Amino acid sequence: MAIRNIRVMGDPILSKQCKEVREITPRIKELVHDMLETMYEANGVGLAAPQVGVLKRIVVIDTTGEDPLILINPRILESSGEQTGGEGCLSVPGKTGTVTRPNYVKAAAFDLHMREFEVEGTELLARAICHELDHLTGKLYVEKVEGQLMDTEEYYELYGEEE
Ligand code: NI
């Protein structure tokens, strides 16, 4: 396993469309493990493959620090409700902005054995799923920020820590 370099906003790869994964090769497995290691090392709750320079529909998420979720070819099946809160991204270091997302999301994805499964989440997990899936179509959360994108420290001084 290895820590990969995280691409930052301004890198053209972050605005490109990702391709479906057709089969799980040793390279895909290595990529997924590297993505998890890279996410944990950066203290993130999610990471999408284009953030490490790979245009494939792969996302890793861990909102609790002990429950990694690997989503291959994910798609949202259902969403409902609304939450408005602070959001950040490892590709936009040191920044936070207010984004409104669904409060509940149900998604389908494949695992590393190409078995399809469903995952549902509320609050932070719902937010993370939406945020990471946006990366797969070349979208960054900064386009959805209400008000100003701020320095993270300044943001939480103003609005307080959430969750
Ligand atoms: Ni992100």
Side-chain angles (χ1 to χ4, degrees), residues 91-132:
S91 292
V92 192
K95 299 287 183 189
T96 297
T98 301
V99 179
T100 297
R101 300 279 190 185
N103 197 49
Y104 166 85
V105 167
K106 187 204 258 187
F110 293 86
D111 65 15
L112 280 175
H113 305 284
M114 276 310 232
R115 286 189 291 241
E116 197 170 25
F117 67 101
E118 288 183 3
V119 57
E120 32 174 25
T122 59
E123 297 170 15
L124 181 58
L125 180 54
R127 177 180 293 282
I129 291 170
C130 294
H131 176 114
E132 298 310 329

Side-chain angles (χ1 to χ4, degrees), residues 51 89 131-132 135:
Q51 292 182 275
C89 177
H131 176 114
E132 298 310 329
H135 275 297

Side-chain angles (χ1 to χ4, degrees), residues 51-112:
Q51 292 182 275
V52 293
V54 179
L55 290 171
K56 291 195 186 300
R57 295 186 55 83
I58 302 174
V59 154
V60 294
I61 292 172
D62 193 343
T63 55
T64 63
E66 50 198 26
D67 190 17
L69 201 52
I70 296 162
L71 305 179
I72 295 169
N73 300 340
R75 61 200 161 92
I76 289 176
L77 301 174
E78 269 177 55
S79 64
S80 63
E82 207 176 82
Q83 57 174 316
T84 299
E87 196 165 312
C89 177
L90 293 176
S91 292
V92 192
K95 299 287 183 189
T96 297
T98 301
V99 179
T100 297
R101 300 279 190 185
N103 197 49
Y104 166 85
V105 167
K106 187 204 258 187
F110 293 86
D111 65 15
L112 280 175

Side-chain angles (χ1 to χ4, degrees), residues 9 11 27 36-37 39 53 63-64 67 93 103 107 110 123 125 134-135 139 143 147 149 156-157:
M9 191 165 66
D11 188 317
R27 278 187 74 178
L36 283 167
E37 199 179 357
M39 174 182 75
T63 55
T64 63
D67 190 17
N103 197 49
F110 293 86
E123 297 170 15
L125 180 54
D134 274 355
H135 275 297
K139 283 182 270 182
E143 302 162 22
L149 189 62
Y156 286 110
E157 263 170 37

